[in-house]
């Protein structure tokens, strides 16, 4: 079994996943993600994209294989150390998963509060972040009063507020119009230029062309293919802000 | 003004609770208030009974009664006087007196009436034994009582010596049983409170499962999430406990007044002292602590089953 080197952010080795006693939804998945890269995870509906993302954002443990994240064995990691690993990730869920009784401000502030940031230190960054996603005038709005696109942007703001090392987004453009989809992609690109590894799961082939430097991980019936060769021949590019 | 129309760039002043808090709105504060009230009343009862027992024990310690069981009044009076004279010579007797006829009449009057105890009753009514009330220093053992009986026999063959505590032995037994009953009630109510908190914590976890999962995935630790629930339940328990204690104090005060009005010897020593009140006041504190610990244990246990 290989171990991730200094530059690798995630390494999957022969990972398999099954729910309960059902068939494997992911089989023999092996790939490496590098810092500062922009990845698209593609595949038809039911190919296993969401399952793979769940493994990536540590919501699920694999049935077999090995996963290393940030140089740590994520499978044998003791439960009490999982939160520290999760705090290095930003996640945009397919269904946003905003906390319904919290305002847009409090939803975005949540990762900072969880990380123990003092109230006086989080007010400005959260306000700036909401302004960045164009929701400065909706800070006090609860998720139920926000449109799908606005909820999406709150979810993105929440995912990136803690300056994660890796951003994982599950169909982030699935619920927005094409114009908003491009706008969101530009947000991810801007974040990527600041050094964050971005993994976007999508089944929208048009989206892939909109980020020219992106690398593609294709999933087909739970198995990974490598159409761009990016997984077999990883890119050599500077890490950090461009 | 609704959410849509609020002015921009003004961050909320107060941090919102990650899990919605609803003070005194669920059943838990009220269940705890009832439990604490019952516990406090049971504790007050137990402590009052203990005080009663202690006061009676002090009152009766060393007390003995000599009955002269003789039907003929003249002989009864002679033997009583002779027994008193002997008693005053016995080492260890600190006090001795013949109970006056009026006191005896008053004692038996509620059961036998005037006919038995009034004038001329000796001839026509029920013969009542003469009583000598005495106090013996040191421990009252059966051997000492038997020895005293033997000393009195030549002067007063009809004398019978009894320790006063013997009369009240069944009463003391009942008092101790009631104290255990009060303790058992407190333990049972504590268990019921723990069970109610456990159910409430599980329900709260179930209702907020989605939020908890989100907080987990954002890097929240089990201890952080458990802290939210234990604080919420702890505050509810403390609020309910204070309300329950206040209700219990009113009930205890009313019961105390009712018992005081009886003016019965056995309840005069049952008043609660400040240490008793302090112990009763500790009940909501202990219950709040118990609820907090139970909530934390329940939540931590449930969270361990999540990833």
């Amino acid at each position: 079994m290989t171990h991730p080197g200094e530059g690798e952010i995630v390494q999957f080795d022969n990972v398999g996943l099954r729910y309960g006693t059902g068939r494997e939804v992911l089989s023999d998945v092996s790939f490496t993600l590098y810092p500062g890269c922009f990845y698209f995870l593609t595949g038809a509906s039911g190919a296993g994209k969401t399952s793979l993302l769940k493994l990536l954002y540590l919501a699920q443990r694999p049935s077999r294989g090995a996963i290393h994240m940030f140089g740590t064995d994520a499978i044998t990691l003791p439960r009490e150390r999982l939160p520290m690993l999760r705090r290095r990730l930003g996640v945009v869920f397919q269904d946003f998963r905003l906390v319904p009784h919290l305002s847009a401000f409090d939803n975005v502030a949540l990762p900072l509060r969880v990380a123990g940031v003092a109230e006086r230190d989080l007010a400005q960054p959260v306000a700036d972040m909401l302004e960045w996603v164009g929701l400065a005038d909706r800070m006090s709005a609860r998720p139920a009063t926000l449109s799908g696109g606005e909820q999406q942007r709150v979810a993105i703001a929440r995912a990136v507020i803690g300056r994660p090392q890796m951003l994982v987004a599950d169909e982030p453009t699935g619920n927005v119009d094409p114009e908003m989809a491009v706008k969101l992609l530009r947000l991810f690109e801007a974040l990527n230029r600041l050094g964050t590894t971005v993994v976007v799961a999508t089944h929208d082939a048009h989206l892939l062309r909109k980020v020219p430097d992106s690398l593609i991980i294709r999933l087909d019936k739970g198995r990974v293919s490598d159409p761009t060769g990016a997984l077999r021949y990883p890119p050599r590019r500077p890490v950090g802000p461009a | 003004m609704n959410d849509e129309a609020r002015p921009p760039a003004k961050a909320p002043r107060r941090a919102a609770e990650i899990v919605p808090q609803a003070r005194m709105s669920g059943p838990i504060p009220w269940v705890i208030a009832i439990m604490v009230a019952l516990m406090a009343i049971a504790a007050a009862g137990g402590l009052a009974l203990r005080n009663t027992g202690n006061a009676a024990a002090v009152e009766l310690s060393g007390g003995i009664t000599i009955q002269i069981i003789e039907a003929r009044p003249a002989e009864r009076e002679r033997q009583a006087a002779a027994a008193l004279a002997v008693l005053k010579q016995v080492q260890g007797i600190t006090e001795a007196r013949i109970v006056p006829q009026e006191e005896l009449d008053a004692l038996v009057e509620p059961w036998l009436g005037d006919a038995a105890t009034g004038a001329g009753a000796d001839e026509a009514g029920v013969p009542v034994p003469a009583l000598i009330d005495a106090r013996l220093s040191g421990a009252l053992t059966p051997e000492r009582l038997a020895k005293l009986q033997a000393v009195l026999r030549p002067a007063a063959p009809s004398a019978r010596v009894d320790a006063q505590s013997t009369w009240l032995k069944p009463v003391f037994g009942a008092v101790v049983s009631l104290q255990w009953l009060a303790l058992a009630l407190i333990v049972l109510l504590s268990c019921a409170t723990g069970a109610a908190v456990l159910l409430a914590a599980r329900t709260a976890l179930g209702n907020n499962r989605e939020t908890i999962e989100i907080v987990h995935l954002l890097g929240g630790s089990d201890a952080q999430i458990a802290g939210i629930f234990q604080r919420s339940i702890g505050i509810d328990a403390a609020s309910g406990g204070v309300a329950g204690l206040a209700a219990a104090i009113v009930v205890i005060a009313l019961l105390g007044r009712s018992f005081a009005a009886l003016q019965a010897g056995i309840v005069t020593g049952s008043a609660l002292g400040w240490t008793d009140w302090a112990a009763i006041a500790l009940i909501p504190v202990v219950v709040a602590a118990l609820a907090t610990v139970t909530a934390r244990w329940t939540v931590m246990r449930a969270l361990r089953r999540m990833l």
Side-chain angles (χ1 to χ4, degrees):
Chain A
M1 189 190 297
T2 57
H3 287 270
E6 282 290 310
E8 297 155 357
I9 207 163
V10 173
Q11 183 168 339
F12 275 46
D13 280 320
N14 294 311
V15 169
L17 174 67
R18 70 171 79 239
Y19 296 106
T21 55
R23 65 173 180 82
E24 274 199 333
V25 293
L26 292 174
S27 298
D28 303 323
V29 174
S30 299
F31 62 84
T32 305
L33 303 183
Y34 292 88
C37 294
F38 196 118
Y39 295 91
F40 276 114
L41 177 62
T42 68
S45 288
K49 296 191 295 294
T50 299
S51 293
L52 183 55
L53 289 188
K54 279 184 178 174
L55 294 175
L56 265 181
Y57 59 71
L58 302 168
Q60 189 78 44
R61 286 188 195 270
S63 313
R64 62 185 173 88
I67 298 176
H68 286 85
M69 295 182 78
F70 309 110
T72 305
D73 185 342
I75 296 174
T76 57
L77 190 70
R79 183 183 168 74
E80 60 273 15
R81 285 184 58 201
L82 268 177
M84 295 315 291
L85 214 53
R86 285 175 175 149
R87 286 176 198 176
R88 299 168 80 171
L89 303 168
V91 186
V92 183
F93 301 98
Q94 189 172 11
D95 53 356
F96 319 137
R97 301 189 77 172
L98 300 177
V99 181
H101 68 275
L102 296 184
S103 66
F105 180 95
D106 287 320
N107 265 290
V108 175
L110 197 52
L112 298 181
R113 287 190 175 127
V114 161
V117 175
E119 288 298 314
R120 65 176 180 280
D121 296 333
L122 62 76
Q124 196 56 48
V126 173
D128 290 346
M129 184 57 70
L130 280 165
E131 198 173 340
W132 187 59
V133 295
L135 291 172
D137 58 342
R138 306 303 307 279
M139 280 190 193
S140 302
R142 298 219 171 173
T145 67
L146 296 170
S147 69
E150 287 173 329
Q151 288 187 39
Q152 187 83 298
R153 281 181 279 159
V154 173
I156 290 166
R158 184 182 67 182
V160 302
I161 185 75
R163 291 295 309 274
Q165 284 174 265
M166 182 166 74
L167 176 74
V168 179
D170 192 1
E171 301 281 4
T173 57
N175 296 290
V176 294
D177 56 58
E179 193 185 337
M180 179 55 72
V182 172
K183 209 172 163 186
L184 290 178
L185 267 187
R186 296 295 163 251
L187 282 178
F188 291 150
E189 280 186 289
L191 197 71
N192 179 238
R193 279 197 293 276
L194 292 171
T196 300
T197 303
V198 177
V199 181
V200 176
T202 183
H203 64 273
D204 182 356
H206 299 293
L207 216 58
L208 311 185
R209 289 193 289 273
K210 296 204 181 328
V211 186
D213 289 340
S214 62
L215 306 164
I216 297 170
I217 305 167
R218 196 181 301 282
L219 267 177
D220 185 23
K221 292 178 184 169
R223 290 177 184 273
V224 166
S225 63
D226 188 10
T228 60
L231 303 177
R232 277 170 295 159
Y233 308 106
R236 296 184 185 280
R237 53 182 280 183
V239 173
Chain B
M1 189 185 288
N2 62 20
D3 283 343
E4 314 285 317
R6 283 194 183 148
K10 187 89 176 170
R13 273 177 293 178
R14 195 182 65 80
E17 299 279 3
I18 292 171
V19 173
Q21 308 290 303
R23 307 256 177 274
M24 297 303 281
S25 65
I28 272 297
W30 305 108
V31 169
I32 287 178
I34 293 166
M35 296 296 187
V36 166
L38 292 175
M39 273 192 243
I41 293 167
L47 291 167
L49 284 167
R50 185 202 63 182
N51 293 348
T52 302
N54 289 347
V58 169
E59 180 82 8
L60 299 177
S61 72
I64 53 173
T65 301
I66 295 106
Q67 293 184 78
I68 310 296
I69 305 169
E70 170 58 56
R72 293 164 296 168
E75 176 60 11
R76 189 163 66 226
E77 273 177 36
R78 188 199 65 76
Q79 285 195 28
L84 184 64
V86 171
L87 278 174
K88 284 183 174 171
Q89 307 300 316
V90 173
Q91 201 177 7
I93 295 286
T94 57
E95 194 185 320
R97 68 172 186 116
I98 295 174
V99 178
Q101 190 58 43
E102 299 76 41
E103 275 185 46
L104 285 178
D105 290 348
L107 278 174
V108 298
E109 190 266 334
W111 287 274
L112 303 179
D114 279 347
T117 61
D122 284 344
E123 289 78 19
V126 179
V128 178
L131 292 183
I132 298 172
D133 190 11
R135 199 157 290 277
L136 197 59
S137 63
L140 255 183
T141 59
E143 291 74 31
R144 284 188 82 187
L145 288 178
K147 202 171 166 186
L148 194 60
Q149 178 96 44
V151 168
L152 287 171
R153 190 166 296 124
S158 308
R160 203 180 90 184
V161 182
D162 291 298
Q164 287 171 1
S165 56
T166 310
W167 300 98
L168 285 173
K169 208 168 182 179
V171 177
F172 287 143
V175 166
V176 170
S177 300
L178 286 170
Q179 278 180 263
W180 281 110
L181 181 67
L183 188 65
L185 268 175
I186 291 168
V187 171
L188 283 174
L189 289 167
S190 303
C191 293
T193 306
V197 168
L198 194 138
L199 285 174
R202 280 187 185 168
T203 306
L205 268 174
N207 292 343
N208 295 287
R209 193 176 183 87
E210 176 74 9
T211 303
I212 290 164
E213 276 180 17
I214 294 167
V215 173
H216 256 156
L217 292 175
L218 294 178
S221 65
D222 290 352
Q224 279 178 312
I225 295 166
I228 294 166
F229 284 96
Q230 77 181 54
R231 195 181 66 216
S232 169
I233 288 178
I235 291 170
D236 275 356
S239 318
V242 169
L245 181 66
I249 287 171
V250 172
V251 173
I252 294 165
L254 289 174
L255 283 175
R257 280 176 64 181
S258 303
F259 277 101
L262 290 176
Q263 293 186 327
I266 199 154
V267 297
T268 50
S270 65
L272 297 174
W274 69 268
T275 49
D276 301 328
W277 283 111
I280 291 167
L282 271 179
I283 289 173
V285 178
V286 173
V287 167
L290 174 78
T292 306
V293 170
T294 306
R296 185 176 182 84
W297 179 80
T298 309
V299 174
M300 289 294 276
R301 201 156 167 264
L303 290 177
R304 272 188 217 111
R305 289 193 216 108
M306 299 181 183
L307 185 67

